[in-house]
Each structure stands twice: as C-alpha cells, then as structure tokens.
Amino acid sequence: MRVGIYGLGRMGANMTRRLVRSGIEVVGLNRSPGPVDELRAEGAGFLPAYSIEEFLEQLPAPRIVWLMLPCGEPTEAAIEAILPRLSKGDLLVDGANAFYQDTQRRGERIAPTGVHFMDVGVSGGVWGLKNGYCVMAGGSDEDGARIEPVLKALAPAHDRGWAHVGPLGSGHYTKMVHNGIEYGMMQALAEGLALLKAKDPFDIDLAEVTEMWRHGSVVQSWLLDLTAEALASDQQLEAIAPYVSDSGEGRWTAKEAIDLGVAAPVISLAMHMRFASQGNADYGNKLLAVMRRGFGGHAIKAE
C-alpha cells in the first residue's frame, strides 16, 4: 500500500515513520525541503517529493493524499493547489487539526469533483511514533474501509486506539472535544499541585506525590505521568514562564458548548485561564485595583 503525506512537521514526520515501519510506503512532501531530506536519509519505504507534481506522480490511482498542515490558510491553500490535479475516485484526507465546520464546507466544495474527502483527528503528540496515535476518522463507510490499514498502522494496536466515528466532520469534531477535555484535565492537575506546593508548613515533595498517584490512584493518567517525570528533575520551575499557549481547539470546544446549550464550565474556565496566563487578564486586574482603592481606600501596588 502507498499513501502520500503532505506536511512533514513534528506530527506528519513521525506518522510517516510509523507507517513506513508498518510496511506502508509513504510519498512525502513538505512546504520546505528539510524534512523531506531528513526522511529520505532514513532509508527504504519513504519516497521523497519536492513538488506537487512529483508528489502525485508517485501515487498509484486511485490516490490517497493525506494532509498534515496547520489549520486555516495553509490547509486551504494546499487543497486549492492539489484538488485540480486529483482525479475522480482519489481520496483526500485532512489529518491535521481543523474546525469541523470548515471540514464540512470543504467537503461540499470537493464533492462535485468526484474526489472523496475524509477528516481524521490525530492525538499522540511527540510520543505517537513510539506509542501509537489515537485516530478518529470521519467520512463515508466506503472511504473509512479504504484507509483502515493506515488507521490501524498509526494506532497503538490494530484492535484499539482508532475508530471511524461517523460522517464527514465527525473526526475533527471528536478531536476538538477531546482537546477541550484535555484542557480541563491539565488545569485540574495544575491547580491541585499548586495547592500542595503552597502549603509551606507541610513541605510536600511534589515529585514523590505525583509518582505515588501514578499507581492505584483514580487520577492516574498519561498527563500525570508526564507531570511526575517533569517534577522529578525540577520542582521549582524557575526557568519556565507562566505563559500557556492555546492552539484553537479549546476555543472551538467552548464556543460549541455555547451554541449547543451544553454546560461545559470546566473546559470553558480552563480556556479562560490560558488567556489569563497570556496577560489578557492584566488590564482587568488593574481596574479591579482601581475600584478597590476607590471604595475602600486600599493601596495600589505599583508596577
């Protein structure tokens, strides 16, 4: 079996490696040549491409083209460039993060051409190569069966960690909600450990506690594993800025909860806490200080 992957960043490159190790040939294309050269040097199973034409020429008909590009304009531009060069019966897969409504819109645009389209949410991060990825596919039953060998090769095992979850858009929707849950879990762990650290008289060893929680506790999880490993080497985190980025999925999940009228306060608050870490609460907090001085005469702390 041979597939094409366009986008060889951290996720795309390691997914390529995992597929090649499973016996699936991968034709790889990237917007810059460096990752293509790197994978080319690693050996058999990877076929390099340095242009869209060279990329598509190496894929047997009907082709499977898997996009692993940043959401928004990069993905939009790639679809516009590749779609006219695809043939009826080819399958285009968007395996990167995307807002599910954008996926549905793109599906409506692609359908009249006769090219098939699927969306696949992929979770696993930098550990996916070793441990396997969780893959959530959306699209028709026919297309789901067609890429099943790819999903199984990416997953931790052939019988788990992957699913064809529903029609077009459902893969990205499932991944969106997954990431919203992830935000909430991360926030709860961070707040709990901050409470332990703040209790100075107890002088609790956070590395010891998190390692203990990994075994038999109801809060044991991969996130806790990663946290315990980090705290084992550095509990003070003095070199780490208190700034937490967000890549979009948490915002989409919180907005979807509002649109559906579904209560999701933990996910929403976790999202707002990330905004606060980025300095977006600073002006409001300054106003609070001004109000407190106004009605109570309380001193303001200078910047």
Side-chain angles (χ1 to χ4, degrees), residues 15 18-19 22 66 122-123 128-136 148-163:
M15 288 167 61
R18 189 167 177 87
L19 292 176
S22 300
W66 188 301
V122 182
S123 179
L129 175 59
K130 177 182 177 181
N131 300 332
Y133 298 89
C134 178
V135 281
M136 304 152 252
E148 186 171 305
V150 178
L151 303 181
K152 288 181 175 180
L154 291 172
H158 283 193
D159 61 349
R160 61 184 181 272
W162 68 275

Side-chain angles (χ1 to χ4, degrees), residues 213-257:
W213 283 352
R214 294 174 69 184
H215 309 283
S217 164
V218 296
V219 299
Q220 60 186 312
S221 64
W222 186 33
L223 286 172
L224 179 60
D225 293 343
L226 296 173
T227 306
E229 290 167 8
L231 291 174
S233 59
D234 178 15
Q235 292 193 37
Q236 301 308 314
L237 307 180
E238 291 177 351
I240 307 297
Y243 182 102
V244 187
S245 300
D246 66 284
S247 55
E249 297 87 349
R251 299 186 188 208
W252 300 337
T253 308
K255 290 177 181 177
E256 190 70 16

Side-chain angles (χ1 to χ4, degrees), residues 40-75:
R40 182 179 193 173
E42 293 180 12
F46 177 76
L47 295 85
Y50 294 92
S51 68
I52 291 176
E53 290 74 18
E54 186 181 5
F55 177 66
L56 296 177
E57 284 171 0
Q58 297 184 74
L59 292 171
R63 307 176 184 96
I64 298 177
V65 174
W66 188 301
L67 303 179
M68 284 301 297
L69 296 163
C71 67
E73 182 54 34
T75 295

